[in-house]
């Protein structure tokens, strides 16, 4: 990912940020203790239960939020707090994209990203957004066929 693209961790933080900011999931303070216990039975996920229209809508919103220059220009992607801090508050103005590590808040997980690389990524996002808006089908996402088998998540 160095000097070319985004790390998977950074992309996941961006997705969670988008889902939080637009009310698709609820904010939980990062230091809230959660009583998570492993279920001995694998979770059966029914792929057919996913709403392709909602997924396309959410993907379009994500692509618009991060692909359009200016929308996130001054903000830090942060899932630690309910309101996003600014790059100025974090002193990260020099970075094309600022994504705060929720466990190490002084670390910008996208600090390696050069401005020209971020511009290239945004151009790809804009192209994908135009494709969605024009009705270009997304393989496996908007097909009308239902899967013939269940997926097992472990």
């Amino acid at each position: 990912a160095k000097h070319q693209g985004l790390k998977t961790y950074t992309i996941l933080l961006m997705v969670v940020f988008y889902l939080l900011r637009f009310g698709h999931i609820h904010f939980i303070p990062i230091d809230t203790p959660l009583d998570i216990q492993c279920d001995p039975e694998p979770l059966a996920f029914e792929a057919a239960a996913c709403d392709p229209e909602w997924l396309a809508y959410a993907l379009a919103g994500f692509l618009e939020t991060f692909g359009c220059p200016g929308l996130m220009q001054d903000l830090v992607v942060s899932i630690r707090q309910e309101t996003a801090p600014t790059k100025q508050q974090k002193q990260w103005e020099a970075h094309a994209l600022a994504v705060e590590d929720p466990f190490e808040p002084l670390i910008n997980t996208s600090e390696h990203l050069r401005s020209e690389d971020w511009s290239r990524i945004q151009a790809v996002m804009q192209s994908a957004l135009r494709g969605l808006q024009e009705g270009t089908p997304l393989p496996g996402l908007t097909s009308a066929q239902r899967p013939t088998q269940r997926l097992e998540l472990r």
Side-chain angles (χ1 to χ4, degrees):
K2 191 170 188 171
H3 301 296
Q4 292 178 9
L6 296 172
K7 299 174 190 174
T8 304
Y9 182 55
T10 298
I11 295 169
L12 288 173
L13 292 172
M14 292 167 65
V15 168
V16 171
F17 173 86
Y18 169 76
L19 293 173
L20 281 168
R21 294 299 169 250
F22 292 93
H24 299 299
I25 60 175
H26 298 287
F27 176 78
I28 298 174
I30 200 98
D31 56 356
T32 300
L34 300 174
D35 183 25
I36 299 175
Q37 299 176 5
C38 186
D39 188 345
E41 295 295 319
L43 175 65
F45 174 71
E46 185 115 14
C50 292
D51 180 0
E53 287 184 28
W54 182 88
L55 289 173
Y57 168 81
L59 178 58
F62 176 84
L63 293 171
E64 183 175 21
T65 299
F66 290 103
C68 295
L71 288 181
M72 290 296 299
Q73 182 176 335
D74 298 323
L75 295 178
V76 173
V77 172
S78 174
I79 64 170
R80 295 185 84 240
Q81 26 192 341
E82 291 191 64
T83 57
T86 64
K87 288 183 182 179
Q88 185 178 17
Q89 289 170 319
K90 300 279 293 181
Q91 298 179 344
W92 290 351
E93 300 99 309
H95 299 286
L97 175 66
V99 180
E100 177 189 72
D101 186 312
F103 302 103
E104 299 286 339
L106 298 178
I107 294 177
N108 175 3
T109 67
S110 61
E111 67 185 352
H112 69 282
L113 193 65
R114 299 178 306 190
S115 291
E116 56 268 23
D117 294 329
W118 178 233
S119 294
R120 181 180 48 79
I121 292 167
Q122 285 185 304
V124 170
M125 289 179 167
Q126 291 169 24
S127 175
L129 177 60
R130 278 192 303 278
L132 277 175
Q133 291 168 334
E134 293 166 2
T136 303
L138 299 173
L141 184 64
T142 58
S143 101
Q145 294 180 338
R146 293 184 178 265
T148 57
Q149 64 185 25
R150 292 167 50 108
L151 300 174
E152 297 293 328
L153 299 181
R154 298 192 184 268

